[in-house]
Amino acid sequence: MDAVSAHEIDTATGQDAPAELSSERVKDIFSHIAKKYERFNAISSFGAYKAWLAGMARQAPIEAHHDVLDIAGGTGDVTFTMARAKKPAHIQCTDLVPEMLDVARMHYRDGASHGVPVDFEVVDAQNIPYPDASYDVITMAYGIRNMPKREQALSEMFRVLKPGGALVCLEFSTPPNTIWRALYGFYLKHLIPFWGGLITGDREGFVYLSSSIKAFPNQEGLAKLMREAGFANVTWKNYTGGIAAVHVAVKPE
Ligand SMILES: C[S@@+](CC[C@H](N)C(=O)[O-])C[C@H]1O[C@@H](n2cnc3c(N)ncnc32)[C@H](O)[C@@H]1O
């Protein structure tokens, strides 16, 4: 096992720990909240999810002939947003948790992709079962933070992208302004578990959300991980004062 595949962390703390700990927890959380995930998502993104998603779509260099891979696609929000906004040739919507994809399939049957063909498959992003250089663009929202083998996941995404292809990643991040960061820190620690727990009945999921955001690398930290995986021209745009960021990273030609 090389150094990249060997590094495993607890995604709630950022400390080294066996990957199984985080993988089992994430499966447990998302298999239980799948049906109420969209409500969970609205709360966990502080109501700003749709605006951030629209920003992600604006930044995604998806063209009409592209085959797109959505990683950690969950209930399909990113897949269907890209389908409607960009009309690519095909989207492969993948996620670790079958219950999340069941909800995405239901939306697909209801016409959410506006005619863009979408296939769904249970895939662990840390071990992607697709050939090298098979996708034009990879999208991923709120995925990498939940992966205990982050370096391995980014290497896998790099491998399955075509040269010249791009990874577009929406994730919670770190507000650069000290006062905004302190206010946000208070909100995350005290209000999110309380409010989220009250509305969905799943306090534990929100406690995990808060700690995993706190433990996640800042904008430059994530960019560094991407560069180490081989990506170039890594840029990011902050949303809501840096509470979220969309990184775009390119696989060199
Ligand atoms: C917060 S949800 C985001 C879902 C979707 N991208 C969205 O924006 O609504 C995080 C998703 O990451 C998935 N996930 C966690 N670890 C994963 C892994 N190793 N491989 C693939 N998906 C994973 C979870 O199952 C969950 O559906």
Side-chain angles (χ1 to χ4, degrees):
M1 191 184 278
D2 60 29
V4 164
S5 47
H7 190 214
E8 302 179 2
I9 58 163
D10 175 350
T11 56
T13 63
Q15 302 299 310
D16 289 358
E20 286 68 35
L21 176 85
S22 300
S23 297
E24 289 313 311
R25 179 178 51 219
V26 96
K27 281 185 201 158
D28 187 49
I29 292 175
F30 287 103
S31 61
H32 283 99
I33 65 165
K35 292 215 171 72
K36 50 189 174 185
Y37 172 74
E38 276 135 16
R39 193 154 33 123
F40 178 97
N41 205 14
I43 301 164
S44 59
S45 69
F46 324 111
Y49 180 64
K50 292 291 170 193
W52 299 348
L53 193 52
M56 186 186 188
R58 275 194 301 277
Q59 279 179 256
I62 297 175
E63 296 175 22
H65 63 280
H66 279 173
D67 197 354
V68 176
L69 173 60
D70 189 20
I71 291 280
T75 59
D77 239 346
V78 173
T79 288
F80 300 131
T81 299
M82 298 301 160
R84 289 191 296 265
K86 305 279 178 169
K87 299 248 172 269
H90 172 253
I91 303 180
Q92 185 74 5
C93 178
T94 63
D95 197 276
L96 181 67
V97 173
E99 290 85 349
M100 295 291 278
L101 287 182
D102 287 344
V103 178
R105 278 194 197 91
M106 190 183 75
H107 293 321
Y108 184 58
R109 283 193 295 270
D110 290 344
S113 80
H114 289 207
V116 171
V118 179
D119 285 296
F120 300 89
E121 189 171 7
V122 174
V123 167
D124 182 344
Q126 301 161 132
N127 195 7
I128 301 176
Y130 304 139
D132 297 358
S134 41
Y135 289 96
D136 298 284
V137 173
I138 294 179
T139 53
M140 172 172 61
Y142 314 113
I144 191 74
R145 179 174 36 85
N146 293 303
M147 295 174 197
K149 297 192 242 174
R150 283 182 191 147
E151 290 90 346
Q152 187 171 316
L154 289 169
S155 292
E156 278 290 86
M157 290 176 226
F158 185 83
R159 182 183 65 73
V160 301
L161 263 181
K162 293 178 187 169
L167 164 65
V168 185
C169 170
L170 167 62
E171 191 49 87
F172 287 105
S173 205
T174 307
N177 178 281
T178 325
I179 296 168
W180 187 225
R181 191 165 63 240
L183 286 171
Y184 172 55
F186 179 85
Y187 185 69
L188 260 187
K189 184 164 178 205
H190 300 288
L191 299 186
I192 270 287
F194 173 73
W195 186 32
L198 201 67
I199 295 176
T200 67
D202 182 17
R203 191 176 188 281
E204 280 318 298
F206 285 92
V207 170
Y208 167 71
L209 175 76
S210 289
S211 10
S212 67
I213 292 175
K214 210 165 149 242
F216 192 68
N218 67 10
Q219 289 83 339
E220 175 50 36
L222 178 57
K224 184 166 175 281
L225 285 178
M226 289 172 168
R227 284 186 215 107
E228 284 167 359
F231 288 99
N233 300 335
V234 182
T235 56
W236 68 83
K237 187 168 162 38
N238 285 336
Y239 290 89
T240 318
I243 286 182
V246 174
H247 284 67
V248 179
V250 177
K251 178 169 177 172
E253 295 276 2

